[in-house]
Amino acid sequence: MPGIGVIGCGNIMRNAHIEPTLRDHPDVTLTAYYDVDADAAQSFADDFGGEAVGSEREVCERSDAVYIAIPPNAHGEAEQACLETGTPFFVEKPQALDLGFAQEVAEEVERQRLMTMVGYQWRYTPSASAFREALEGHTPALVNMWWYQGTPRIAFNRYRSKSGGQVVEQVTHIVDTVRYAVGEIAEVFGWARNVVHRDAEDWDNDDVGAAAVLFESGAVGTITNCYALTGGAPGGNGAEVLTPDRRVLWQGKTVTVRTSDGEETTEPFSDPPHRFEDLAFIEALKTGDSSLILSPYTDSIRTLAVTLACARSGESGGPIAI
Ligand SMILES: NC(=O)c1ccc[n+]([C@@H]2O[C@H](COP(=O)([O-])OP(=O)(O)OC[C@H]3O[C@@H](n4cnc5c(N)ncnc54)[C@H](O)[C@@H]3O)[C@@H](O)[C@H]2O)c1
């Protein structure tokens, strides 16, 4: 019967984790909420039961496990409270903007053998399994990853200092799923620039980026990203892997395999994608079976390292080894 506490009572916690899954899960009790905005925490207590409390530590002390869902630049105290109290935690991606901090947390998580999950929900979905299976026994040669859209609506995504930029905050999902299905990325070199938002108010971020990546296997690929479709042109996101005999395209809920015999696309699943990871986390907490966790803190840090390197490499003047 895990008692779940929450640090960061905003959009993703309410709409992706609590309302679709945690609120009605027969084995979950929502215990305590902390947010720097006390009204946000109180609104969760009013709507879902449990209590609004005055600190991260109080959330931990009242809970068997904690969800951390705060802006990318706000990490620190929440993880500290979990580590000091030995509380298992789920943390939304990106797990930090400071790789050194994330490495310290990872070391302590490892030392305590603490159960953790980072919010890379796609790994838990049928489409990520299909992506991985479609590549088994084939040799990935070229791997392209992309996310294209217009000006982001979420306020912190307008600032590189708050979000880490589009690759760190958003394309991270694509990079992580590709790591899961294809393998590890060894080196990155890329550029990012602000092209369309030069005169935009309330904006300090790049709106396009392109990086070349080298996989440990020797495969090469690209990560391209765009916030510049401000005129309403259609966007999209996904990854495509080219092997000698097939092209495998993953786009969220579906996978398309193209061969010389034609093309086949999987049926899209109907559950919200975050539900798969939440159910896995609860089951892991209940049973103690950490093999159910496909995105532990200590592994996800590699996704963070790749995405941070994309943001830095253009400025450092050379490829960055991960
Ligand atoms: N996995 C996904 O698909 C997905 C989707 C959207 C957002 N996210 C991630 O989830 C995280 C939260 O995003 P969101 O859209 O819910 O943001 P949000 O702004 O809606 O909510 C964040 C909440 O955290 C609170 N907060 C800020 N600093 C805090 C601190 N130091 N301690 C406690 N509370 C604090 C804010 O007051 C706010 O209520 C981000 O890292 C974002 O990248 C993940």
Side-chain angles (χ1 to χ4, degrees):
M1 265 291 192
I4 303 270
V6 175
I7 300 173
C9 304
N11 162 55
I12 191 76
M13 204 56 231
R14 175 182 287 274
N15 297 315
H17 298 297
I18 297 186
E19 289 189 344
T21 303
L22 300 181
R23 176 170 64 178
D24 296 323
H25 194 293
D27 295 333
V28 168
T29 308
L30 289 160
T31 52
Y33 311 96
Y34 171 72
D35 195 295
V36 287
D37 173 358
D39 290 344
Q42 189 56 52
S43 77
F44 272 42
D46 294 343
D47 294 347
F48 308 126
E51 274 184 71
V53 296
S55 71
E56 294 90 343
R57 197 180 171 97
E58 277 179 85
V59 175
C60 294
E61 285 168 350
R62 289 165 190 241
S63 310
D64 299 308
V66 164
Y67 272 65
I68 303 171
I70 56 182
N73 63 338
H75 292 276
E77 304 283 328
E79 288 81 355
Q80 202 61 38
C82 291
L83 294 175
E84 281 171 12
T85 54
T87 309
F89 64 91
F90 171 105
V91 59
E92 265 301 348
K93 46 46 67 179
Q95 64 217 84
L97 297 185
D98 176 351
L99 191 59
F101 164 77
Q103 276 161 341
E104 283 172 25
V105 173
E107 276 165 29
E108 189 55 22
V109 159
E110 189 94 328
R111 199 186 65 74
Q112 293 189 28
R113 302 203 174 287
L114 208 57
M115 202 173 267
T116 57
M117 180 183 277
V118 178
Y120 287 114
Q121 70 269 15
W122 294 105
R123 282 190 182 225
Y124 301 84
T125 63
S127 57
S129 303
F131 188 26
R132 201 166 140 117
E133 278 160 26
L135 290 167
E136 262 166 22
H138 302 270
T139 304
L142 183 68
V143 184
N144 295 322
M145 301 164 251
W146 65 91
W147 197 309
Y148 306 147
Q149 64 165 69
T151 309
R153 276 175 295 155
I154 297 173
F156 55 68
N157 278 336
R158 300 177 70 93
Y159 293 87
R160 191 168 20 155
S161 59
K162 295 181 184 176
S163 65
Q166 189 181 5
V167 176
V168 173
E169 202 281 335
Q170 187 182 60
V171 195
T172 189
H173 281 299
I174 311 294
V175 173
D176 187 71
T177 309
V178 163
R179 279 188 57 230
Y180 179 63
V182 178
E184 296 298 350
I185 292 170
E187 278 189 66
V188 176
F189 179 70
W191 294 102
R193 286 290 181 270
N194 181 19
V195 174
V196 169
H197 291 80
R198 282 179 190 147
D199 300 321
E201 283 179 20
D202 195 17
W203 179 270
D204 187 5
N205 204 355
D206 299 309
D207 58 17
V208 285
V213 299
L214 174 65
F215 286 77
E216 283 180 0
S217 67
V220 298
T222 61
I223 300 173
T224 55
N225 59 291
C226 172
Y227 276 155
L229 299 175
T230 53
N237 61 71
E240 188 175 37
V241 183
L242 279 64
T243 80
D245 69 337
R246 52 180 50 196
R247 290 169 65 172
V248 182
L249 172 67
W250 167 66
Q251 286 182 296
K253 293 186 172 186
T254 62
V255 172
T256 301
V257 179
R258 294 185 190 135
T259 66
S260 57
D261 295 331
E263 78 174 46
E264 246 180 85
T265 299
T266 58
E267 274 300 310
F269 55 87
S270 52
D271 274 354
H274 299 85
R275 190 169 165 78
F276 297 94
E277 66 180 354
D278 289 327
L279 294 177
F281 189 53
I282 294 161
E283 195 59 21
L285 291 169
K286 270 173 54 193
T287 60
D289 180 0
S290 54
S291 72
L292 298 171
I293 295 185
L294 306 177
S295 54
Y297 198 96
T298 45
D299 178 274
S300 300
I301 204 166
R302 288 193 70 114
T303 300
L304 178 66
V306 170
T307 58
L308 286 170
C310 286
R312 277 184 8 248
S313 56
E315 284 124 54
S316 70
I320 293 183
I322 304 304

